[in-house]
Amino acid sequence: MASAQQGKPLVYLEEYKLKQDANDYGLADELWDFERFKQQLQIVVVRYEENELEFDMIGVNPAIANVFRRLMLSEVPSMAIEKVHIYNNTSIIQDEVLAHRLGLIPLRADPRMFEYKANETDPPTAQDSLEFELKVKCTRKNKDSTEVTNNDNMYRNHSIYSGQIKWVPIGNQATIYTEAAVGPIDDDILISKMRPGHEFDIKLFAVKGIGKDHAKFSPVATVSYRMLPDIQLTQPVIGNDARLLQKCFSPGVIEIDKSDQAYVKDARYDSCSRNVYRYPHLADAVKMARVRNHFIFTVESLGALKPDVIFLESVKVLKKKCRMFLDEIKGH
């Protein structure tokens, strides 16, 4: 159990169950120590693309990791359409379904620039709301045309997209923001199909909210974490067995060297499917485990906030909750 002795608490994946390391007594016997926590905690950024972040959180227990996952999903705020005033809707989509579709269109507005609306019945202000409008009408392009198959040649506005939603500044908002900075993140989200005679005349009001109240306010498409896999080969595996072993794991985990022998190249991206246990002659050649205090986080932002900003905002939310809890304790 060398890995556990080197400071990596492991949970072993057997064929039908999990097994604790013999030298690891689990979370129950670990007393909280703040100084030790500070020394062990590490955040390592592994991959950062435009709206996707992969990072490692090392030295924490699952409860801490899950706190950040839940906060990023449901308590980091964003702006979303909350009120839909429909003055005219002659399309085939019912008003309530249309309002729901519009509410789920992600907006680029930075929620940190806005305040929460104090009262739902209060009129919108420049500090707490954004106003948009959608005014479109489908018409026939040429009444004399014989075209019957190509909608683009037959109709104007036969497909309504999120890019046709226009921003209407409230108060002095036009001096602070631009339409590109507060409008829909994607212009190609299909709202409705229309035919001549169909028309929208709609006003939309966006406010600041959190995913705990409604999923449309969540700033992320997904946040997930998993424990770091730890894979060790306990005996040489060569030839056809090496190639069979390679197929038992995710691509890039097991590779074969020049001597036709299998080796572990990168255990990080293994799905821990345990396919190797389907082959009895290979089952004893591999020891699979997960490091129970090393979590691989994946954060996929919708675009209003960068994924690293979303994580930092979740830290602020947690700090605020801790302060409130301490104040409650001191108050009693």
Side-chain angles (χ1 to χ4, degrees), residues 272-293:
C272 295
S273 64
R274 309 186 197 184
N275 281 339
V276 68
Y277 288 113
R278 297 168 60 190
Y279 307 100
H281 65 292
L282 294 177
D284 294 333
V286 183
K287 189 175 290 183
M288 295 189 298
R290 291 204 174 193
V291 184
R292 65 168 177 80
N293 69 346

Side-chain angles (χ1 to χ4, degrees), residues 142-161:
N142 187 352
K143 295 181 180 180
D144 300 326
S145 174
T146 57
E147 178 67 65
V148 293
T149 57
N150 191 323
N151 291 332
D152 291 329
N153 294 335
M154 295 167 62
Y155 311 121
R156 294 185 184 88
N157 295 323
H158 65 89
S159 295
I160 309 303
Y161 294 96

Side-chain angles (χ1 to χ4, degrees), residues 12 18 20 27 97 103 127 153 196 218 274:
Y12 289 95
L18 300 175
Q20 288 286 131
L27 298 170
V97 176
Q127 290 74 39
N153 294 335
S218 180
R274 309 186 197 184

Side-chain angles (χ1 to χ4, degrees), residues 48-53 71-73 75-79 106-114 116 181 183 185 208-210 217-223 299-314 316-317:
Y48 191 173
E49 298 174 358
E50 184 178 2
N51 286 322
E52 191 169 340
L53 172 67
L71 287 176
M72 284 187 275
L73 278 170
E75 296 201 45
V76 173
S78 72
M79 299 292 288
L107 302 178
R108 196 174 292 280
D110 189 335
R112 296 171 295 179
M113 303 294 290
F114 295 86
Y116 287 102
I185 291 173
K208 183 176 180 177
I210 57 176
F217 289 113
S218 180
V220 295
T222 183
V223 178
V299 182
E300 185 180 337
S301 168
L302 289 174
L305 295 175
K306 292 296 182 184
D308 59 323
V309 174
I310 293 173
F311 175 70
L312 293 176
E313 289 297 309
S314 72
K316 293 177 184 177
V317 173

Side-chain angles (χ1 to χ4, degrees), residues 10 52 59 87 128 176 204 224 319:
L10 300 178
E52 191 169 340
Y87 299 98
D128 61 27
I176 304 172
L204 313 116
S224 62
K319 287 173 66 177

Side-chain angles (χ1 to χ4, degrees), residues 3 27 43 47 52 55 72 89-90 93 99 118 129 133 179 211 218 253 265 269 275 281 307 313-314 318 325 331:
S3 295
L27 298 170
I43 304 290
R47 179 171 55 87
E52 191 169 340
F55 67 90
M72 284 187 275
N89 171 24
T90 55
I93 300 181
S129 300
E133 68 176 11
E179 185 160 7
S218 180
V253 175
K265 182 181 180 182
Y269 295 107
N275 281 339
H281 65 292
E313 289 297 309
S314 72
L318 181 59
F325 183 63

